[in-house]
mmCIF file of all heavy atoms in Angstrom:
data_model
loop_
_atom_site.group_PDB
_atom_site.id
_atom_site.type_symbol
_atom_site.label_atom_id
_atom_site.label_comp_id
_atom_site.label_asym_id
_atom_site.label_seq_id
_atom_site.Cartn_x
_atom_site.Cartn_y
_atom_site.Cartn_z
ATOM 1 N N LEU C 134 10.324 39.599 -11.615
ATOM 2 C CA LEU C 134 9.749 38.403 -12.241
ATOM 3 C C LEU C 134 9.388 37.345 -11.264
ATOM 4 O O LEU C 134 9.843 37.391 -10.128
ATOM 5 C CB LEU C 134 10.770 37.868 -13.253
ATOM 6 C CG LEU C 134 11.400 38.676 -14.459
ATOM 7 C CD1 LEU C 134 12.340 38.044 -15.176
ATOM 8 C CD2 LEU C 134 10.172 39.186 -15.250
ATOM 9 N N PRO C 135 8.494 36.517 -11.658
ATOM 10 C CA PRO C 135 8.098 35.456 -10.702
ATOM 11 C C PRO C 135 9.157 34.545 -10.398
ATOM 12 O O PRO C 135 10.224 34.506 -11.174
ATOM 13 C CB PRO C 135 7.012 34.599 -11.528
ATOM 14 C CG PRO C 135 6.446 35.585 -12.568
ATOM 15 C CD PRO C 135 7.637 36.532 -12.895
ATOM 16 N N THR C 136 9.148 33.863 -9.135
ATOM 17 C CA THR C 136 10.309 33.177 -8.731
ATOM 18 C C THR C 136 10.625 32.076 -9.689
ATOM 19 O O THR C 136 9.720 31.345 -10.119
ATOM 20 C CB THR C 136 9.956 32.506 -7.337
ATOM 21 O OG1 THR C 136 9.680 33.594 -6.420
ATOM 22 C CG2 THR C 136 11.134 31.660 -6.765
ATOM 23 N N GLY C 137 11.888 31.979 -10.057
ATOM 24 C CA GLY C 137 12.266 30.770 -10.953
ATOM 25 C C GLY C 137 12.060 31.207 -12.395
ATOM 26 O O GLY C 137 12.398 30.238 -13.321
ATOM 27 N N LYS C 138 11.549 32.262 -12.775
ATOM 28 C CA LYS C 138 11.335 32.622 -14.219
ATOM 29 C C LYS C 138 12.316 33.703 -14.704
ATOM 30 O O LYS C 138 12.819 34.454 -13.938
ATOM 31 C CB LYS C 138 9.858 33.060 -14.435
ATOM 32 C CG LYS C 138 8.765 32.132 -13.930
ATOM 33 C CD LYS C 138 8.971 30.758 -14.807
ATOM 34 C CE LYS C 138 8.076 29.714 -14.265
ATOM 35 N NZ LYS C 138 8.380 28.433 -14.998
ATOM 36 N N SER C 139 12.455 33.747 -15.985
ATOM 37 C CA SER C 139 13.538 34.610 -16.517
ATOM 38 C C SER C 139 13.008 35.147 -17.822
ATOM 39 O O SER C 139 12.094 34.591 -18.528
ATOM 40 C CB SER C 139 14.782 33.721 -16.800
ATOM 41 O OG SER C 139 14.618 32.732 -17.662
ATOM 42 N N LEU C 140 13.665 36.178 -18.315
ATOM 43 C CA LEU C 140 13.479 36.767 -19.553
ATOM 44 C C LEU C 140 14.803 37.045 -20.290
ATOM 45 O O LEU C 140 15.726 37.638 -19.692
ATOM 46 C CB LEU C 140 12.750 38.138 -19.417
ATOM 47 C CG LEU C 140 12.687 39.111 -20.690
ATOM 48 C CD1 LEU C 140 11.877 38.365 -21.763
ATOM 49 C CD2 LEU C 140 11.974 40.399 -20.382
ATOM 50 N N SER C 141 14.929 36.625 -21.498
ATOM 51 C CA SER C 141 16.182 36.742 -22.278
ATOM 52 C C SER C 141 15.754 37.360 -23.640
ATOM 53 O O SER C 141 14.746 36.959 -24.175
ATOM 54 C CB SER C 141 16.995 35.568 -22.387
ATOM 55 O OG SER C 141 16.281 34.565 -23.060
ATOM 56 N N VAL C 142 16.684 38.251 -24.148
ATOM 57 C CA VAL C 142 16.377 38.885 -25.477
ATOM 58 C C VAL C 142 17.562 38.969 -26.315
ATOM 59 O O VAL C 142 18.647 39.196 -25.777
ATOM 60 C CB VAL C 142 15.892 40.397 -25.247
ATOM 61 C CG1 VAL C 142 15.496 41.037 -26.578
ATOM 62 C CG2 VAL C 142 14.861 40.467 -24.191
ATOM 63 N N VAL C 143 17.483 38.495 -27.667
ATOM 64 C CA VAL C 143 18.489 38.626 -28.486
ATOM 65 C C VAL C 143 18.126 39.357 -29.806
ATOM 66 O O VAL C 143 16.932 39.222 -30.182
ATOM 67 C CB VAL C 143 19.012 37.189 -28.956
ATOM 68 C CG1 VAL C 143 20.072 37.206 -30.090
ATOM 69 C CG2 VAL C 143 19.583 36.423 -27.796
ATOM 70 N N GLY C 144 18.919 40.242 -30.243
ATOM 71 C CA GLY C 144 18.590 41.029 -31.411
ATOM 72 C C GLY C 144 19.724 41.601 -32.119
ATOM 73 O O GLY C 144 20.941 41.398 -31.647
ATOM 74 N N ASN C 145 19.549 42.335 -33.168
ATOM 75 C CA ASN C 145 20.662 42.808 -33.934
ATOM 76 C C ASN C 145 21.074 44.303 -33.544
ATOM 77 O O ASN C 145 20.189 45.116 -33.299
ATOM 78 C CB ASN C 145 20.278 42.874 -35.457
ATOM 79 C CG ASN C 145 20.204 41.492 -36.001
ATOM 80 O OD1 ASN C 145 21.164 40.712 -36.017
ATOM 81 N ND2 ASN C 145 18.965 41.139 -36.428
ATOM 82 N N GLN C 146 22.404 44.483 -33.391
ATOM 83 C CA GLN C 146 22.813 45.868 -32.981
ATOM 84 C C GLN C 146 22.732 46.887 -34.141
ATOM 85 O O GLN C 146 22.577 48.034 -33.911
ATOM 86 C CB GLN C 146 24.329 45.843 -32.583
ATOM 87 C CG GLN C 146 24.609 45.015 -31.312
ATOM 88 C CD GLN C 146 26.006 45.017 -30.965
ATOM 89 O OE1 GLN C 146 26.575 46.008 -30.825
ATOM 90 N NE2 GLN C 146 26.657 43.823 -30.837
ATOM 91 N N VAL C 147 22.731 46.351 -35.463
ATOM 92 C CA VAL C 147 22.704 47.352 -36.574
ATOM 93 C C VAL C 147 21.835 46.841 -37.593
ATOM 94 O O VAL C 147 20.938 45.892 -37.336
ATOM 95 C CB VAL C 147 24.140 47.342 -37.198
ATOM 96 C CG1 VAL C 147 25.226 47.946 -36.131
ATOM 97 C CG2 VAL C 147 24.613 45.960 -37.603
ATOM 98 N N LEU C 148 21.790 47.457 -38.687
ATOM 99 C CA LEU C 148 20.972 47.079 -39.829
ATOM 100 C C LEU C 148 21.288 45.479 -40.236
ATOM 101 O O LEU C 148 22.459 45.133 -40.102
ATOM 102 C CB LEU C 148 21.223 47.827 -41.079
ATOM 103 C CG LEU C 148 20.736 49.348 -41.043
ATOM 104 C CD1 LEU C 148 21.038 50.099 -42.283
ATOM 105 C CD2 LEU C 148 19.184 49.475 -40.860
ATOM 106 N N SER C 149 20.315 44.812 -40.510
ATOM 107 C CA SER C 149 20.503 43.290 -40.682
ATOM 108 C C SER C 149 19.670 42.888 -41.920
ATOM 109 O O SER C 149 18.988 43.615 -42.571
ATOM 110 C CB SER C 149 19.945 42.653 -39.432
ATOM 111 O OG SER C 149 18.548 42.670 -39.370
ATOM 112 N N VAL C 150 19.818 41.554 -42.187
ATOM 113 C CA VAL C 150 18.985 40.870 -43.253
ATOM 114 C C VAL C 150 17.971 39.966 -42.779
ATOM 115 O O VAL C 150 17.551 39.064 -43.497
ATOM 116 C CB VAL C 150 19.994 40.215 -44.302
ATOM 117 C CG1 VAL C 150 20.826 41.326 -44.935
ATOM 118 C CG2 VAL C 150 20.843 39.204 -43.548
ATOM 119 N N GLY C 151 17.618 40.043 -41.499
ATOM 120 C CA GLY C 151 16.614 39.243 -40.987
ATOM 121 C C GLY C 151 17.075 37.781 -41.083
ATOM 122 O O GLY C 151 18.163 37.362 -40.992
#
Side-chain angles (χ1 to χ4, degrees):
L134 301 176
T136 302
K138 298 304 173 183
S139 63
L140 169 61
S141 61
V142 185
V143 175
N145 293 298
Q146 297 182 54
V147 296
L148 291 175
S149 70
V150 294

